[in-house]
Each structure stands twice: as C-alpha cells, then as structure tokens.
Amino acid sequence: MAELTPEANRAARAILKWSVRELAEHAGIAFSTVHRFETTGVATDTTKEKIKAAYLTHKVEITNGDGTGARLVR
C-alpha cells in the first residue's frame, strides 16, 4: 500500500463517511493524533499503519497513482 498522507487520509475518510473521531475509534488511536496528522502531516509509522489497517478492514486502500488518494478495494 502507498504512503499515507493527510490528503489521502481525508479521501479515505470521505469514502467511508467517517469523522475524525470514528477513524480514531476504528484505528485504536486518540482523536488528537488523527487531528494532528491531518493538520500537520506528523505521525509515527506505527500510527500510520494502524490507520491504514483500519481502512483495509473496511475495503479502502491508500493509493499513489497520479497523486495521493484512496479507493475502494473490490
């Protein structure tokens, strides 16, 4: 899976119609951690892996085609 960026994170949340709080709950991390990542781009690799795992559980993957983003997995 591609690198998680704040833009891709927001795209994935939009696909699932998740709020920041919902993502935090699904990923098992703090709301403030997700908020900080989306606003500053700062997160540990462990945090990014937890977020990507939460998305994959719901069939959404992070992509890096012509730009960063997210898509539903079939």
Side-chain angles (χ1 to χ4, degrees):
M1 190 184 302
E3 167 127 16
L4 181 66
T5 64
E7 296 81 12
N9 190 62
R10 285 189 291 273
R13 280 197 312 103
I15 289 169
L16 293 168
K17 298 181 179 155
W18 283 356
S19 67
V20 171
R21 286 197 192 283
E22 288 170 314
L23 171 57
E25 289 173 17
H26 286 283
I29 58 179
F31 162 83
S32 59
T33 301
V34 177
H35 178 70
R36 180 177 56 249
F37 174 61
E38 286 196 358
T39 57
T40 68
V42 175
T44 65
D45 289 339
T46 301
T47 294
K48 290 178 184 180
E49 291 305 316
K50 287 180 179 182
I51 291 171
K52 290 193 289 186
Y55 289 139
L56 275 179
T57 299
H58 289 85
K59 300 190 186 286
V60 172
E61 83 174 339
I62 303 303
T63 63
N64 270 350
D66 293 329
T68 189
R71 69 183 181 117
L72 283 171
V73 179
R74 296 178 191 205

